[in-house]
Amino acid sequence: MPGFADSFWSSDYAAGLGVLFGKLQQGVMENRQILTIARLRAEAEETYGQRLSDIAPSADRVVGGFSRDDGATVRKAYDGMRAEMQDAARSHQRIAQNIRDLVVNPFSLWCDAHEGRVQNSQDELQSRIKAHDRQADAVRKLRSNYFNKCRLVEDLEEENKLGFQTPETSPKPNQPTIPEIKVQPLREEGDLDEEKYYEIGDDVYQPEQLKKILSHMLSTIKMGETKVPILGTYLNTSAGSDIVEYLQRSMGISSVSYAERIGQDLIVNGFLRLIGNVGSTFANSSRMFYQWRPQAFKFAGLPEKKLNRTFSIPIAGSDGASDSPVVGTVSEYLANWNVLGNRDPNETPSMRLQREAREADDKYKAGVRKLDDLRCELEEAICLHLKFLERCELDRLKAVKTVILDFSGSIGNVIPSLQSTVDRMVLFQETVQPAGDLRYLLENYRTGSFAPRVVVYENYYNRVDEQTFGVDLEARARADKKRVPVIVTTILTYLDHHYPDLEGDEARRGVWLVDVPLAQIHKLRAKLNDGKVNSPDVFDDFDVPTVAALLKLYLLELPDSLVSAHVYEIIRTIYTTPTADGSEASRVAVLQQTLSQLRLTNIATLDACMNHFTRLIDLTSADEEYVASLSASLAPCILRPRTETSLTLEEKHASRLVRDLFTHKDPIFSELKRMSTLSHSVSVGGSRPRAVSTDESNRKALMEERNRALVEKATASRSRATSPAPGPRGHRRDRSSGGGPDTRFPIQTSPTTDRHRGSLGGIESRLKRSSLDVPGFDGAAVADGTNGALQGKDADGDGSDKRDSGSRIGTKFIGGKRVPGSPPPESPPSRGVTLEDKPMDD
C-alpha cells in the first residue's frame, strides 16, 4: 500500500489534500475525546475520594457511640471500616493525581503540538495552492492576449495581401468591367459660395436668397455654449427644437417633419453639424444640439462668435489654434497624448502589431515559466508535507495506544481490586494497531496517485522547440526528428553506460525503486526543459537513481500515458474477461491488436523502454518479487486512465500489462513491427498515417468489428501449421520485406533468440556501456540478433565495431554457477531485423 505521498493527489491539488486534512482533523477530535475521558475520570476519582474522606468525620460527630467502648470487638470492626474508607479515599485521590500526571497533562501538551503541526501544514499548502491558482489565471489571460495579438497580425497581413496585389494578380484589361457606383465628392468649405443654386427642402435658392435667410437665422435663433464630457465646450450651438421653432414661426412651415427635412439639408450643405452624438441626423429635440459651422457665418457675412480662452487642440499646418470650435481642458488632457499609441512615431500599424505580439509572447512565456516553477515548488512542498503528516498520524496512533496503557496502569497500580477492569483495559490497548489504522485510512480515503498536471507554453504557430516536459510525445519527437524523443534515448543511454559503475546487481536493480526526493528531480528537470538535450553530460552532477526517476517523471507529465488512455477500457476487458481458450497466447494476440492502435511514436518509445527493462531483469537475474515491484512502480508511467476514480485506484490492470510486456516482449513487438511495416508500405506515395481518433461516437461498432477480427485471426492461427525453422544455411533477412529502406521500424527491438541471464558484475571496467540495448545518443546503436551484444557505428558510419560484449557473450549458468562458454563464431548468422532510431522523413 503506498503512503500519503502517493495517495492524496488530484488535478487541482486542493481536493485530495482536503480529504486528507479532513481525516487529520478528525484525528485531532479523537485526541480531544480521549483527553475528555481521562480528565472527567480524574475529576470523578477526585470527587469520589473526597466524598469517601468525608464519611469518617461525619460519623465521628455522632455523640455517645463507639467512643465509650474501647475494647469491644464491634468497636474494632467499626474502626477497621473507618480506616479502610480513609485508605480508599486516599487511593482514589492518588488515582486522580496519577491520571493527571501520566495522561492528561502530557497528552494535552502533545495534542496541542500535533494540532499545531497539522494546522501549519494546512495553512502553508493552502497559501501555495492559492498562489499557484492565481498564476494559472494570469497565464490564461496572457495566453488569450497573445493569441489575440497573433490573430490581429494575421488579419492585417491578409488585408495587405488583398489590398496591395501585384499586377499579375490584378484584373486583366480584357475582362468585363465591374459596374461601380460613383459618388460625388463632398464640397470643400471654401467652395460653398461658388454654388449657384442650393436645394433646401422642396425649394431651390440662389446664393443671395440663401444669404438673407442664413443671416436672419443666425441673428434670431438662440445660440449658446454646449459642454460635452471629455471633448470640451462647443460654441455657437442651438438646440434642434429651437431651429424647428424658428422655421415654423418665421418661414410658415406647418409640419415638424418638413422642418426636420430643412434642418437635414442645412447639415448636408455644410452649415450645421451635430455635436455630442454619433451621426449627422437632424431631429426636433431639445437634447440634441447643433453647431453653426464657420462657413455659415462666412456665407451670411456675419462675424463668428468666439471666446477669449483658447485652450484648443493645435492643428498641424495652421497658424494658430484659435480657429478651433472646441475649447476647454480636453486639449490639456491630450497635450502629450500619442494619438497612434506608438512608442515610435515612424512605426507602421503592421510593425506595431508585430511588436505587440512579440511582447505578449514574451510575457506569456515568462508567465508559463513562473507557473511551472510554482507548480514544481508546490508539488515538492506537498510531497514533504505528506510524508511529514504520515509520520505525525502514525505517531498519534502510537500515542493513543500508549495513553490507554498509562490510563489503565494509573488505576491498576493503586487498587488491586480493580484488576479485572484493568486487565480488560490492557486488552483494549493491545487491540490498537497503528499501522493497520493507517492502512485503513489509505485504503478508504486515498484520492489519487501522483500525476503532475503541467501547463505548457502553447505557441501560436505550434512550435515546441523550447520545451521538453509536458509536451505531446509525437510533437516532441517531430521536433527532435526522431521516432523516440531524444530525452528518452539520452536517459536510457546514460543509464546503460553507468550500470557497470554500480556495485552489484542489487544496486543496479534498485536504481528504479529508490524514492528520490522530488526537489532533486525537479532540479534536474529544470536543466533539461529547454527542448535542447544536446549531451548526456548534464547528468554528471546527479546520481543514477535521480536520472532514472527523471524518466519516470517525464512519462508521468505527458498529456497522455505511453499506452494511450483511450485503450484503457480495452486493457481492462482483456484482464477481466478470459479469452476463448484461456491461454496466454490468446491474450498476447489481443494485446498486439490493442497496442497496434497506438501512434508509431508511442510504440517506438514503449519498445525502447521495455527493451531496456527486460535486459536489466535478465542480466541482473532479478527474481519475481523485484519484477512485481518494478511493474507496480512503472505502471502509472505506462498506462493511466483518462479520469482517475476510486475504482481505478484499486485496479491492477496497468501493472499486469507491464508484466506481460516484460514476459512477452519479443512476440508482442515483433508483431507490432510487422503491422507498422505493412501499414507504412500501404501508405507509400500517400499521406502519412494519421493517429487513432479519440472520437468515441462509433466506439461500439468499432469494438464489435475488432472482436470479430480477433476471433477470425485466432481461428486462422490455430488452423495454420507451424512453419519449419530455417536451416543454418537458409535465407537470412536483415530487413522486413515489402518496402524499401524507409519502411524500417525506427527503433531497436530485442533479439529473436532467448536472452542469457547473468550478472553485470563481470563486465570489464574498461567497458563504459553494458549490454542493455537502447538506441544510442546519435541514434546509431543496433542489437545483434544472435547474442544480444551491443554494437555501434562509428561517427563516420563505416560500421566498425566500437564495443565488445566481453566475457558476457559466452556466459552460461550450470548448477547456479557462472561458467565461461564457447566463444562466439566469427560471423554469426543474423536473425531478426536490425532497426535504428533514424531521423523521420517528415
Side-chain angles (χ1 to χ4, degrees), residues 454-468:
V454 184
V455 178
V456 297
Y457 161 73
E458 300 178 34
N459 187 270
Y460 185 78
Y461 305 100
N462 297 324
R463 292 193 295 265
V464 295
D465 300 335
E466 300 181 3
Q467 50 191 342
T468 300

Side-chain angles (χ1 to χ4, degrees), residues 474 478 481-483 687-689 839-842:
E474 186 172 15
R478 287 187 177 279
K481 300 298 182 183
K482 299 285 186 178
R483 284 301 182 194
S687 60
R688 186 178 64 258
M840 294 191 298
D841 298 331
D842 50 353

Side-chain angles (χ1 to χ4, degrees), residues 252-323:
I253 296 174
S254 59
S255 64
V256 176
S257 60
Y258 185 61
E260 289 180 342
R261 282 184 55 196
I262 294 176
Q264 188 67 43
D265 289 338
L266 291 175
I267 293 176
V268 172
N269 286 279
F271 299 116
L272 282 176
R273 69 168 177 173
L274 177 63
I275 63 172
N277 290 281
V278 180
S280 59
T281 303
F282 184 87
N284 177 28
S285 172
S286 60
R287 296 185 178 181
M288 298 180 68
F289 291 88
Y290 300 87
Q291 184 184 44
W292 295 98
R293 308 188 71 172
Q295 52 267 35
F297 289 95
K298 182 178 180 181
F299 193 85
L302 297 177
E304 183 180 359
K305 297 179 182 180
K306 297 181 180 180
L307 293 180
N308 293 330
R309 47 190 177 133
T310 58
F311 298 96
S312 58
I313 301 177
I315 301 175
S318 62
D319 297 335
S322 59
D323 293 336

Side-chain angles (χ1 to χ4, degrees), residues 493-504:
T493 302
Y494 178 85
L495 295 175
D496 225 5
H497 283 308
H498 287 77
Y499 279 134
D501 299 338
L502 303 177
E503 297 182 359

Side-chain angles (χ1 to χ4, degrees), residues 499-611:
Y499 279 134
D501 299 338
L502 303 177
E503 297 182 359
D505 291 342
E506 185 176 355
R508 300 181 183 104
R509 290 192 298 265
V511 163
W512 294 96
L513 300 182
V514 174
D515 186 11
V516 182
L518 189 60
Q520 185 76 0
I521 306 175
H522 282 164
K523 185 178 179 181
L524 177 56
R525 175 187 182 273
K527 291 188 174 183
L528 297 174
N529 199 25
D530 57 356
K532 301 176 180 62
V533 186
N534 297 323
S535 173
D537 296 340
V538 70
F539 302 133
D540 292 342
D541 296 334
F542 300 88
D543 55 4
V544 176
T546 302
V547 179
L550 181 68
L551 177 61
K552 293 194 287 186
L553 181 66
Y554 172 78
L555 297 177
L556 284 175
E557 290 188 353
L558 290 176
D560 193 7
S561 53
L562 205 53
V563 177
S564 179
H566 80 272
V567 300
Y568 183 84
E569 295 298 330
I570 302 177
I571 298 295
R572 173 193 287 175
T573 305
I574 292 175
Y575 289 107
T576 55
T577 304
T579 56
D581 54 359
S583 63
E584 288 191 359
S586 301
R587 187 174 74 249
V588 169
V590 178
L591 283 177
Q592 291 170 347
Q593 293 292 332
T594 303
L595 295 179
S596 65
Q597 303 178 34
L598 303 179
R599 299 177 298 185
L600 184 58
T601 303
N602 292 58
I603 298 176
T605 306
L606 183 63
D607 181 64
C609 294
M610 291 300 107
N611 186 55

Side-chain angles (χ1 to χ4, degrees), residues 8 48 71 110 252 299 331 335 375 386 396 406-407 424 454 530 560 576 590 609 634 674 688 749:
F8 293 99
Y48 186 41
W110 188 93
F299 193 85
S331 59
R375 180 190 62 81
L386 288 181
R396 186 190 73 84
D406 293 340
F407 186 76
R424 287 193 296 270
V454 184
D530 57 356
D560 193 7
T576 55
V590 178
C609 294
L634 296 175
R674 188 187 66 81
R688 186 178 64 258
T749 59

Side-chain angles (χ1 to χ4, degrees), residues 82-307:
R82 184 177 179 279
E84 288 295 329
M85 289 183 183
Q86 293 294 329
D87 293 339
R90 288 189 294 270
S91 298
H92 284 286
Q93 289 175 352
R94 284 199 302 271
I95 290 175
Q97 190 62 36
N98 289 342
I99 292 176
R100 292 191 182 98
D101 294 340
L102 298 179
V103 178
V104 176
N105 294 334
F107 191 58
S108 61
L109 295 176
W110 188 93
C111 289
D112 294 339
H114 173 76
E115 183 177 1
R117 289 190 291 268
V118 172
Q119 191 63 43
N120 290 338
S121 295
Q122 185 174 3
D123 294 341
E124 181 177 353
L125 292 180
Q126 282 182 348
S127 63
R128 288 180 178 271
I129 290 174
K130 289 180 180 178
H132 174 270
D133 293 343
R134 285 195 299 268
Q135 184 62 24
D137 294 336
V139 165
R140 282 192 288 269
K141 294 178 182 178
L142 291 173
R143 175 184 178 276
S144 177
N145 183 44
Y146 164 57
F147 277 33
N148 290 336
K149 295 294 183 183
C150 291
R151 293 189 187 101
L152 291 176
V153 172
E154 285 188 346
D155 294 342
L156 184 60
E157 291 175 353
E158 292 296 329
E159 291 177 2
N160 292 336
K161 290 179 182 178
L162 297 177
F164 302 97
Q165 295 181 352
T166 59
E168 290 76 6
T169 59
S170 60
K172 300 297 185 294
N174 56 359
Q175 293 181 350
T177 58
I178 301 174
E180 58 182 15
I181 301 175
K182 296 184 178 180
V183 181
Q184 184 177 2
L186 296 176
R187 305 181 185 92
E188 298 294 336
E189 295 182 1
D191 296 339
L192 290 175
D193 55 353
E194 298 178 1
E195 294 289 341
K196 294 182 179 180
Y197 299 102
Y198 296 92
E199 185 175 353
I200 306 295
D202 294 335
D203 298 327
V204 178
Y205 297 92
Q206 294 181 357
E208 291 296 329
Q209 295 175 336
L210 183 60
K211 180 178 180 180
K212 294 179 181 180
I213 295 174
L214 284 176
S215 178
H216 191 266
M217 292 177 69
L218 294 174
S219 303
T220 306
I221 297 176
K222 179 181 177 182
M223 293 186 189
E225 301 176 5
T226 302
K227 294 182 179 180
V228 178
I230 302 298
L231 297 180
T233 303
Y234 289 84
L235 304 179
N236 304 323
T237 58
S238 302
S241 59
D242 294 338
I243 298 175
V244 170
E245 182 182 355
Y246 167 81
L247 294 175
Q248 289 179 332
R249 184 179 67 251
S250 301
M251 300 183 65
I253 296 174
S254 59
S255 64
V256 176
S257 60
Y258 185 61
E260 289 180 342
R261 282 184 55 196
I262 294 176
Q264 188 67 43
D265 289 338
L266 291 175
I267 293 176
V268 172
N269 286 279
F271 299 116
L272 282 176
R273 69 168 177 173
L274 177 63
I275 63 172
N277 290 281
V278 180
S280 59
T281 303
F282 184 87
N284 177 28
S285 172
S286 60
R287 296 185 178 181
M288 298 180 68
F289 291 88
Y290 300 87
Q291 184 184 44
W292 295 98
R293 308 188 71 172
Q295 52 267 35
F297 289 95
K298 182 178 180 181
F299 193 85
L302 297 177
E304 183 180 359
K305 297 179 182 180
K306 297 181 180 180
L307 293 180

